[in-house]
Amino acid sequence: MAQQDAKQEGRRDWSDQYWWSHDGVRLHARVYAGPEGSERAPPVLCMPGLARNARDFEALAPHVARYRKVIVIEFRGRGDSAYAKDPMTYVPLTYVQDVVALLDELEIERFAAIGTSLGGLVAMLMAASLPGRLVGAVLNDVGPELETAGLERIRDYIGAGGSQPTWMHAARAFADLNGAVYPDYGIHDWLRLTKRTHRLTPEGRIVTDYDKQIAAPLRVPNGGDAGVDLWPAYRALGDVPVLILRGALSDILAHTAGEKMAAGLPRARLVEVPGVGHAPTMDEPEARAAIDAWAAELPQA
């Protein structure tokens, strides 16, 4: 059974939600209650990227929760969700099953989704597998057509080991790896992002906050989603409000692919976030304004 810890610690504005996957993995989400009277509105499900966790939404989630309930998923192997015994379950279809288990547990029939990268792929797959239940989607720097060069860049570093002695060392190492993604960031920006993506071990070292084995399916020749046509999943979004966010410097979602996506659905809109690559943090003013406009189109009941 799902267990919810409603105790608020310090200034924390969410509660912890735990549930079990069908294969026995204990999973975690943050739940932001939303304003009084928002109970009837479909909640917003936030889903992070491949190596990310709930802290990716630590600024956006409370902002969206001003007008409706928000649930921030931590996929298996990330953050406070347990690691999977079988690393080959670190694939999008399993993530879909995990999220559906939570929706069933909480008896949520209809919902909107904000998904970054992997989270956006999961949102599209849910649109295809749960017809009529998704009432809107933000696809953050992801779509049915992805650039090979960017995917190879991610494969090259995902799952790599290593640790750093201090947060400042970790931030500088993270900046060295991702400087081209956020070229205008200063050290305080990198510290903020590093604390979202890393954790402190009991030994006092700073490491990335995910199971290194999430990379295992990516190492399998022709594994993962290679060769899968995701356009049917994208088109399954139908006539719901769809916001396509694209980092102007992205090496994952090409501008032409974003335009094709916007033209492919009746209520899809493309917004490019200047000065960032893959992926926008959604804290940028341009991204935040676009998300607010998208949310205003969502059904209230």
Side-chain angles (χ1 to χ4, degrees), residues 62-85:
H63 176 82
V64 176
R66 295 182 309 166
Y67 38 80
R68 64 179 63 217
K69 182 177 182 177
V70 175
I71 302 172
V72 184
I73 299 292
E74 289 193 311
F75 294 129
R76 57 175 59 203
R78 286 84 162 174
D80 289 332
S81 285
Y83 292 7
K85 293 181 180 179

Side-chain angles (χ1 to χ4, degrees), residues 8 18 32 36 42 48 81 95 123 138-139 177 187 192-193 219 231 233 256 281:
Q8 301 295 314
Y18 294 95
Y32 297 75
E36 185 176 352
S81 285
Y95 303 139
V138 175
L139 304 178
L177 184 63
I187 190 59
R192 183 183 71 251
L193 194 58
R219 309 287 187 233
W231 277 104
T256 52
T281 64

